[in-house]
Amino acid sequence: DEGARVYVGDTPNDVPDAALAAAQQVAVAAGPHPAEELHAAGAATVLDSLAGFPAWLAGWSGGSAGA
């Protein structure tokens, strides 16, 4: 979505969508696409599961959990 600060996705197609939204891309390798494929698509941040997202968000310098 336009105006999103963080874009979470689990497919290679989500990487350019995040760029279009001018959002920080976070890919999650919990679906059918392995981390290597998501990195190859250009995702700089790849998490093994959504369980790691709260900790990532808390440490992200581009925003805060309340934003």
Side-chain angles (χ1 to χ4, degrees):
D1 293 324
E2 290 185 37
R5 297 191 69 188
V6 176
Y7 189 111
V8 180
D10 63 356
T11 74
N13 292 334
D14 291 322
V15 176
D17 290 345
L20 286 173
Q24 172 67 40
Q25 165 66 34
V26 177
V28 181
H33 303 282
E36 297 80 17
E37 186 178 350
L38 297 169
H39 279 296
T45 301
V46 178
L47 304 175
D48 292 331
S49 75
L50 279 175
F53 183 72
W56 177 88
L57 185 61
W60 181 51
S61 63
S64 67

